[in-house]
């Protein structure tokens, strides 16, 4: 163990960067806890996000017939398997829709390690979904045929070439490529993991995606709220604030073609970089009979079954020496729920000698100092925080709040060297615009009864260390916060050090808005981790 700690510190001392003011060393969490910092709003920041229109060539349909479009890949639980997804056929929206037959087009992926010849073949399954409204004047929607094919028996850290479609009718895609994850080991990690939340499809979103692609991620985490299709009525009329503009609609409508626009735009990234998504509140999309999350569950491929989950709303997977917990903030999470019991089982199987890093991902943040969504997920925190703390989770990523915030290590609102670092990256660029106001500023504290999540319900915000519902200054657990659009890159260097970098859209490529080495605490400082490893 002393040798491992020495290697970690040796690596840290090598990690010097040249900054604008000279040579400096990137700070580490071992230097903390840090004095809270609030960066004033940047005058160059343009937060007036505007959606790409339907006539933008980047969102228009360019394929013919049943040729594949909206191609994406996602991971299974381990390196040896990848999911390939795409859509064939055109969606329909209106009063007299006729769903396509999913069995009418085959789901085939041809792949191999040689670009000129894809010698292996895999077949999968297909489906369609509907978005239906039992109200006069609301248009119904039925999707194109959605295909999911699982490739298995893949080699680690290897480039594969693939094309997808139905070869029997000559409807095949161009050849794309992907690289598998490294083998799960304390010595092997993806080089860069892009993390973005609340993306949407605005001109700011496209800037975020361009910045992200410049950083060449091996994996992308989408921390909820993909398309914001539910800011639109079924006739395509949109608004920055649905409840403000459409207060009298009989049901919260959603314009499903925005999902197709998003899939077309994102293909340039998702066809080569695995995307691992988790649901956000904008994916609820209620329809007839109270059905929710239909588009989210149908369009993405999830390793739910492989990770022992019964739901697309929560699952887990490995990426090299990292075990990711993708948790659902919009499905039952109390101690009697299926999700909580699954999480207990999943954590019990984690071997920190194989995957030293344990990372949690879900949409609504537990530690948020902005007025927007302040303490909205308190019931989830009360239910799950102790379990994750005892398991030794290292980092937690959230979205939902349209700004950036990084915490000191914290547990139960108290600074704790064994607690995780919480990072909110709900700043992808969607049209609901940026969160700017802080709950600890004079006159900004929300009424407690107004804060619980409207979908999950419940009120758990009772006692706080400050003695009040809001702090009167930036809380000590909040290390850094800034209102700007952007994305993050996580680079796990070894079993002790991970470099976290947050990039602002208004900055040049590769320039860091916030950067820190997150260092896994030595086990002797966190005895609960030693106990967990010994199980």
């Amino acid at each position: 163990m002393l040798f491992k700690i020495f290697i970690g510190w040796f690596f840290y001392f090598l990690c010097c960067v040249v900054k604008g003011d000279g040579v400096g060393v990137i700070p580490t969490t071992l230097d903390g806890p840090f004095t809270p910092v609030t960066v004033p709003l940047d005058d160059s920041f343009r937060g007036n996000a505007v959606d790409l229109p339907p006539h933008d060539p980047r969102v228009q349909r360019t394929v013919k017939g049943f040729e594949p479009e909206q191609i994406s890949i996602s991971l299974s639980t381990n390196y040896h398997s990848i999911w390939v997804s795409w859509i064939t056929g055109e969606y329909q929206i209106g009063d007299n829709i006729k769903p396509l037959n999913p069995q009418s087009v085959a789901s085939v992926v041809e792949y191999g390690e040689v670009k000129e010849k894809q010698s292996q073949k895999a077949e999968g399954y297909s489906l369609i979904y509907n978005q239906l409204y039992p109200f006069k004047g609301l248009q119904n929607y039925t999707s194109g045929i959605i295909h999911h094919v699982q490739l298995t028996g893949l080699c680690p850290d290897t480039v594969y070439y693939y094309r997808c479609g139905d070869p029997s009718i000559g409807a095949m895609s161009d050849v794309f490529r992907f690289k598998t994850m490294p083998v799960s080991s304390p010595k092997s990690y993806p080089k860069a993991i892009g993390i973005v939340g609340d993306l949407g499809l605005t001109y700011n979103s496209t800037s975020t995606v361009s910045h992200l692609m410049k950083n060449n991620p091996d994996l992308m985490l989408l921390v909820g709220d993909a398309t914001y299709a539910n800011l639109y009525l079924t006739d395509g009329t949109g608004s920055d604030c649905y409840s403000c503009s459409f207060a009298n609609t009989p049901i919260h409508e959603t314009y499903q073609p925005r999902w197709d626009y998003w899939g077309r735009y994102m293909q340039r990234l998702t066809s080569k970089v695995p995307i691992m998504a988790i649901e956000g509140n904008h994916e609820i999309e209620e329809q007839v009979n109270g059905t929710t999350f239909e588009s989210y569950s149908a369009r993405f491929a999830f390793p739910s079954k492989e990770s022992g989950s019964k739901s697309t709303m929560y699952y887990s997977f490995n990426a090299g020496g990292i075990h990711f917990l993708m948790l659902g903030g919009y499905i039952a999470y109390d101690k009697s729920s299926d999700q909580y019991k699954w999480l207990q089982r999943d954590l019990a199987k984690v071997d920190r000698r194989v995957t030293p890093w344990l990372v949690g991902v879900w949409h609504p943040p537990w530690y948020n100092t902005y007025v927007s969504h302040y303490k909205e997920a308190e019931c989830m925190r009360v239910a799950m925080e102790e379990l994750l703390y005892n398991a030794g989770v290292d980092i937690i990523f959230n979205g939902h709040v349209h700004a950036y915030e990084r915490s000191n290590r914290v547990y139960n609102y108290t600074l704790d060297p064994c607690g995780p670092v919480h990072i909110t990256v709900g700043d992808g660029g969607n049209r609901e615009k940026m969160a700017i106001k802080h709950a600890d500023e004079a006159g900004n504290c929300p009424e407690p009864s107004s804060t619980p999540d409207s979908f999950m319900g419940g009120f758990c915000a009772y006692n706080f260390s400050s003695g009040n519902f809001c702090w009167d200054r930036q809380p000590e657990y909040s290390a850094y916060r800034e209102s700007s659009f952007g994305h993050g890159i996580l680079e796990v260097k070894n079993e002790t050090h991970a470099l976290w970098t947050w990039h602002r859209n208004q900055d040049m490529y590769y320039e860091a808005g916030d950067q820190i080495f997150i260092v896994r605490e030595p086990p002797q400082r966190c005895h609960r981790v030693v106990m967990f490893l010994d199980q």
Side-chain angles (χ1 to χ4, degrees), residues 31 59 80 125 147 152 162 203 208 233 244 249-250 272 303 329 343 347 369 417 419 433 464 493-494 509 517 530:
D31 301 324
V59 305
H80 47 66
Y125 67 95
H147 305 261
T152 59
Y162 75 96
Y203 292 100
T208 299
L233 302 182
C244 306
T249 53
K272 61 181 179 180
L343 180 57
L347 289 171
T369 63
K433 302 184 174 56
F464 299 95
K493 303 296 185 178
N494 55 36
Y509 298 121
F517 270 106
V530 175

Side-chain angles (χ1 to χ4, degrees), residues 167 222 351 514:
L222 178 58
D351 187 344
D514 180 40

Side-chain angles (χ1 to χ4, degrees), residues 196-207:
V196 63
D198 302 71
L199 189 57
L201 190 56
T202 69
Y203 292 100
N204 295 81
S205 308
T206 60
S207 178

Side-chain angles (χ1 to χ4, degrees), residues 159-450:
V159 172
Y160 285 87
Y161 297 90
Y162 75 96
R163 60 180 190 153
C164 58
D166 185 347
S168 69
I169 59 174
M172 295 294 287
S173 71
D174 293 335
V175 176
F176 298 91
R177 56 170 282 174
F178 64 81
K179 187 177 182 181
T180 54
M181 291 293 105
V183 66
S184 292
S185 155
K187 304 298 182 184
S188 57
Y189 301 92
K191 290 183 175 64
I193 301 171
I195 302 173
V196 63
D198 302 71
L199 189 57
L201 190 56
T202 69
Y203 292 100
N204 295 81
S205 308
T206 60
S207 178
T208 299
V209 173
S210 294
H211 276 71
L212 177 62
M213 293 181 71
K214 287 282 186 179
N215 283 311
N216 297 313
D218 299 309
L219 171 64
M220 174 183 171
L221 304 183
L222 178 58
V223 194
D225 286 359
T227 70
Y228 288 80
N230 74 337
L231 291 183
Y232 288 78
L233 302 182
T234 61
D235 65 3
T237 303
S239 173
D240 300 339
C241 174
Y242 186 99
S243 60
C244 306
S245 301
F246 314 125
N248 297 319
T249 53
I251 191 173
H252 191 128
E253 302 170 42
T254 173
Y255 187 62
Q256 287 297 295
R258 296 297 303 184
W259 276 97
D260 296 285
Y261 303 163
W262 191 87
R264 291 166 189 161
Y265 176 79
M266 292 295 291
Q267 178 178 298
R268 63 186 184 133
L269 173 62
T270 59
S271 59
K272 61 181 179 180
V273 178
I275 178 172
M276 305 304 288
I278 197 66
E279 83 280 358
N281 57 300
H282 284 272
E283 277 76 68
I284 295 172
E285 299 184 315
E286 184 180 1
Q287 56 173 299
V288 66
N289 297 325
T291 302
T292 54
F293 297 102
E294 279 292 284
S295 185
Y296 161 82
S297 296
R299 290 176 181 266
F300 295 108
F302 307 93
S304 299
K305 183 177 180 181
E306 301 99 288
S307 61
S309 167
K310 298 178 182 178
S311 171
T312 60
M313 309 280 276
Y314 55 89
Y315 59 93
S316 67
F317 67 95
N318 290 337
I322 314 167
H323 186 71
F324 285 97
L325 303 165
M326 310 292 284
L327 303 183
Y330 302 95
I331 187 171
Y333 40 62
D334 59 87
K335 293 183 179 180
S336 63
S337 67
D338 286 342
Q339 179 177 200
Y340 190 93
K341 293 175 182 177
W342 167 84
L343 180 57
Q344 287 179 309
R345 295 192 299 271
D346 191 80
L347 289 171
K349 293 184 289 185
V350 174
D351 187 344
R352 302 298 282 271
R353 294 165 296 186
V354 177
T355 53
W357 288 87
L358 189 55
V359 176
V361 181
W362 58 89
H363 187 60
W366 295 349
Y367 290 92
N368 161 42
T369 63
Y370 290 84
V371 173
S372 177
H373 306 301
Y374 185 69
K375 300 200 185 301
E376 187 175 284
E378 188 66 11
C379 286
M380 185 183 182
R381 185 194 69 80
V382 169
M384 288 185 156
E385 186 175 29
E386 183 179 13
L387 178 60
L388 296 179
Y389 176 79
N390 288 333
V393 170
D394 300 298
I395 314 171
I396 290 170
F397 291 106
N398 305 117
H400 204 34
V401 177
H402 302 165
Y404 174 73
E405 186 164 19
R406 171 175 54 83
S407 80
N408 286 305
R409 290 191 176 275
V410 61
Y411 171 62
N412 196 25
Y413 291 102
T414 303
L415 296 179
D416 188 321
C418 299
V421 174
H422 292 252
I423 297 173
T424 298
V425 284
D427 54 349
N430 71 82
R431 77 177 287 176
E432 281 188 324
K433 302 184 174 56
M434 184 57 55
I436 296 174
K437 294 181 180 180
H438 305 110
D440 48 85
E441 295 169 340
N444 284 350
C445 186
E447 169 62 35
S449 63
S450 70

